Amino acid sequence: MSSFKPLVFSGVQPTGNLHLGNYLGAIRKFVALQESHDCIYCVVDLHSITAQLVHDDLPSQTRSITAAFLAAGIDPEKHIVFNQARVPQHAELAWIFNCVARIGWMNRMTQFKDKAGKDRENASLGLLAYPSLMAADILVYRATHVPVGDDQKQHLELTRDIAAKFNNDFSRRIGELGIGVEMTMGDETLNGFFPLTEPLIEGPATRVMSLRDGTKKMSKSDPSDLSRINLTDDADAIAKKIKKAKTDPEPLPSELAGLKDRPEAENLVGIYAALAETSREAVMAEFGGRQFSAFKPALAELAVEKLAPVAAEMRRISADRAYVDAVLRDGGERAGALAEATMKQVREIVGLLDD
Ligand code: AQP
């Protein structure tokens, strides 16, 4: 028996312009993890049709997220970059996980409640089952680590629950086939096939909030463009949005405790710290006691300095559609081979004949 090989997986939906929250909460971490891990990064197009089926621009959005991955510094040769629909094993494993997960688990997901809103009966079945597909995305590679923003924490807990139930339900069979990893669950030792994936949610910007309302997450689907900084915004747009960002009349505090009950101040300090790759404490040591009228221009300058090169590179890569498509095709082939190896064993465990 050996342990699971460390492997990073994460995905981003092609549902609109990427924003600073996606960049700081996810993509920048994807880039850093390449140094220490094998990584698989996916544009999760099948997820993007759960909330809204028809997207006129789905192919161009998929290419644009791919360009953002590459522009941020993801190496598609050393690692794997592809779009989910190219590897049908994701959907196949998701079906099996639909039979593992319980409806009650899905009904408790806050993202489902938020997105379905009051008219839950009218939400797509796909929206309810979204976390099961997300579990399949990760576990079809038996990935051990998943960098995400804080909003995905609950879905990752559910991924662990699905893996644990599958391992538990099929432990005997996994043992008989000799393809398991010995795992301790409570007082029991069992033969697990899927790892209990660890979320990687760290740093000062795990939940970047809207610039218009510090209690709401910065989101692609917020109708107000002023609520978010898009990765493609130019310097003027970034400066304008930060200037207009909601704040309170007090100066910045010098210590962390002073940010309590000041969500907008907390958000801007977190963004500054993440962009400057420092701690919130260090930002407050520098700006404590100063007004937002002094802090905001410094934040805008830093944001432009960090984001402008990514935006320029994204434009350059996006112009070469053949290159982007070649990256996705090659990544899809390599991901597909890995996913099929897992699914062969899953079919054997479950008892589904495939040859
Ligand atoms: N505001 C955020 N702060 C930090 N991380 C964030 N992420 C999203 N918003 C923030 C992280 O970005 C990754 C990709 O997200 P996604 O596009 O797959 O899904 P999402 O969380 O639904 O993103 P949006 O922007 O909020 O889209 P809509 O408006 O369509 O719902 C994930 O790791 C996520 O945690």
Side-chain angles (χ1 to χ4, degrees):
M1 301 270 179
S2 60
S3 57
F4 293 100
K5 182 174 167 278
L7 178 70
V8 167
F9 177 93
S10 198
V12 174
Q13 292 189 73
T15 44
N17 279 333
L18 285 176
H19 52 71
L20 189 62
N22 301 131
Y23 181 65
L24 295 177
I27 296 176
R28 214 177 54 173
K29 292 182 190 158
F30 299 178
V31 177
L33 282 161
Q34 300 182 107
E35 300 305 320
S36 51
H37 288 76
D38 287 333
C39 303
I40 302 179
Y41 296 126
C42 185
V43 185
V44 286
D45 42 13
L46 295 175
H47 283 281
S48 71
I49 58 172
T50 55
Q52 179 193 326
L53 178 60
V54 181
H55 295 260
D56 293 336
D57 55 354
L58 189 51
S60 65
Q61 288 286 353
T62 300
R63 292 187 179 106
S64 162
I65 306 282
T66 309
F69 283 177
L70 304 175
I74 291 170
D75 182 336
E77 287 174 16
K78 288 203 185 117
H79 302 276
I80 294 181
V81 173
F82 73 109
N83 63 300
Q84 187 186 25
R86 265 174 216 273
V87 180
Q89 288 83 354
H90 288 234
E92 182 185 359
L93 185 58
W95 180 256
I96 293 173
F97 286 171
N98 283 345
C99 302
V100 174
R102 310 288 92 183
I103 294 174
W105 300 1
M106 299 296 171
N107 274 328
R108 281 196 286 279
M109 294 295 110
T110 52
Q111 182 172 297
F112 172 67
K113 291 188 213 165
D114 290 348
K115 294 206 168 174
K118 290 205 172 66
D119 195 8
R120 246 198 240 192
E121 293 290 309
N122 210 21
S124 76
L125 188 53
L127 191 65
L128 182 68
Y130 180 115
S132 172
L133 177 57
M134 179 164 158
D137 298 335
I138 298 163
L139 294 176
V140 82
Y141 304 102
R142 303 213 277 173
T144 53
H145 295 86
V146 181
V148 277
D150 181 68
D151 59 318
Q152 293 298 330
K153 195 171 170 189
Q154 196 185 30
H155 287 164
L156 282 169
E157 281 161 10
L158 193 113
T159 299
R160 292 166 66 93
D161 290 343
I162 289 176
K165 181 160 162 48
F166 184 96
N167 290 342
N168 203 50
D169 290 352
F170 289 105
S171 175
R172 192 176 48 83
R173 183 99 186 99
I174 296 164
E176 281 166 9
L177 292 167
I179 53 176
V181 170
E182 209 166 86
M183 297 172 91
T184 313
M185 310 244 297
D187 297 341
E188 268 183 82
T189 301
L190 55 75
N191 294 299
F193 182 70
F194 290 119
L196 301 184
T197 304
E198 293 287 336
L200 300 173
I201 307 174
E202 291 142 15
T206 56
R207 182 179 282 263
V208 176
M209 307 309 275
S210 156
L211 298 179
R212 305 303 296 161
D213 177 352
T215 64
K216 260 174 61 185
K217 188 182 86 128
M218 184 178 285
S219 155
K220 297 185 203 105
S221 55
D222 192 315
S224 165
D225 194 53
L226 285 177
S227 70
R228 64 183 159 261
I229 293 173
N230 302 306
L231 274 195
T232 47
D233 282 343
D234 62 20
D236 288 348
I238 292 174
K240 181 178 138 200
K241 288 176 179 180
I242 291 177
K243 192 167 174 211
K244 284 187 174 282
K246 186 177 165 200
T247 44
D248 56 46
E250 302 298 317
L252 279 164
S254 306
E255 295 187 356
L256 215 52
L259 291 175
K260 192 170 175 294
D261 299 326
R262 297 181 65 188
E264 284 83 16
E266 188 175 8
N267 189 35
L268 295 187
V269 168
I271 292 173
Y272 192 104
L275 286 170
E277 295 177 59
T278 182
S279 65
R280 294 188 301 169
E281 287 85 345
V283 177
M284 283 182 295
E286 189 179 346
F287 290 97
R290 295 175 68 185
Q291 296 291 341
F292 282 103
S293 53
F295 180 63
K296 281 179 167 180
L299 176 58
E301 194 181 323
L302 178 64
V304 170
E305 178 195 321
K306 299 288 178 176
L307 300 180
V310 181
E313 190 61 359
M314 232 178 117
R315 276 192 296 277
R316 190 186 68 77
I317 294 170
S318 292
D320 191 349
R321 187 167 135 180
Y323 169 64
V324 172
D325 286 351
V327 165
L328 292 173
R329 205 173 303 120
D330 172 65
E333 275 169 26
R334 289 189 287 139
L338 297 173
E340 179 52 21
T342 304
M343 283 315 296
K344 264 223 131 348
Q345 295 187 319
V346 170
R347 289 183 210 114
E348 214 175 348
I349 293 168
V350 177
L352 302 166
L353 301 178
D354 68 348
D355 56 7

